[in-house]
Amino acid sequence: KAALCSMMVTVLLGFTSGPALAEIILHVPDVTVMPGGPGFLDLFFEVTSGEPMLAGYQVELNLADSTSGVEFTGFGEAEDAIFPGQVAEQTSGRPSLPGPTAAANDFILPSTENPLGENLIVDGAGLLRVFFETAPGSRGAQVTIDSDPLRTSLSDGSGMLVPIDGFVTGTISVVPEPTTFASLVGAAFLSAIMFLLGRRKS
């Protein structure tokens, strides 16, 4: 019995002390732009444990409010890209750009460090740059990642899905130019003075 108990403890310890599974969170950053101007946001990885490998992906971003005066316009290479020199393509069958939905996919070529067809995902690595435009008077928008595996997924060199443990939304904020902001403040201040003077006369 003692030998059996010892064996069970060894097996359990083997399960609990083995290498931890990778934990990946996909982030949309917060960005700030001027009204009526262009901008971009870089999706990036947060890897909290493990060293997952990546050979391909598809991802879909959506604006929470399609009437916000913001629209996605194209794709590019993210800063600190995990696969420099490769730009994603529009996902076939999904809404085409420009619009409130950006759907992209790419198969990543093997890196020189790893010729097996996969790239190592490291914490902070960039996945994809998404360009957008804001209309004059736009109030900005929240950007979400569609968590449906049919819309957003990662895969390794064998075609197996790489689990994504979470998604972090981002916000496109629109702020007026400093001169415009100063004009608005000045106009509000002048209106307040005129109002006070009018009250004194009455």
Side-chain angles (χ1 to χ4, degrees):
K1 287 185 178 179
L4 180 60
C5 289
S6 177
M7 185 183 301
M8 291 178 65
V9 169
T10 301
V11 170
L12 289 173
L13 286 175
F15 278 119
T16 57
S17 62
L21 292 175
E23 293 185 5
I24 304 173
I25 299 172
L26 194 54
H27 284 255
V28 177
D30 295 328
V31 295
T32 302
V33 296
M34 301 292 184
F40 64 85
L41 50 85
D42 286 348
L43 275 73
F44 66 94
F45 294 105
E46 177 188 354
V47 180
T48 58
S49 69
E51 295 183 337
M53 305 301 289
L54 182 65
Y57 72 87
Q58 61 177 1
V59 63
E60 184 166 314
L61 300 183
N62 292 286
L63 297 173
D65 181 359
S66 61
T67 64
S68 62
V70 180
E71 64 178 11
F72 298 120
T73 57
F75 306 114
E77 181 180 312
E79 185 178 7
D80 300 322
I82 188 175
F83 49 100
Q86 300 181 64
V87 178
E89 298 180 352
Q90 168 75 37
T91 299
S92 177
R94 298 302 299 150
S96 58
L97 300 179
T101 297
N105 68 91
D106 196 11
F107 291 102
I108 302 169
L109 295 176
S111 69
T112 55
E113 294 80 12
N114 177 29
L116 298 178
E118 299 174 295
N119 288 262
L120 181 67
I121 304 176
V122 296
D123 189 40
L127 175 65
L128 171 70
R129 173 165 292 183
V130 181
F131 295 98
F132 62 85
E133 296 276 352
T134 60
S138 170
R139 59 187 180 277
Q142 186 180 38
V143 183
T144 61
I145 305 174
D146 194 325
S147 60
D148 186 336
L150 295 177
R151 302 277 187 254
T152 300
S153 62
L154 310 176
S155 58
D156 63 19
S158 64
M160 298 294 292
L161 291 182
V162 177
I164 304 174
D165 297 279
F167 302 90
V168 176
T169 61
T171 302
I172 298 173
S173 300
V174 179
V175 296
E177 297 179 36
T179 53
T180 304
F181 181 73
S183 299
L184 292 173
V185 172
F189 180 74
L190 184 59
S191 297
I193 293 296
M194 296 299 291
F195 175 75
L196 291 174
L197 289 175
R199 287 190 63 181
R200 284 185 178 180
K201 289 180 180 180
S202 61

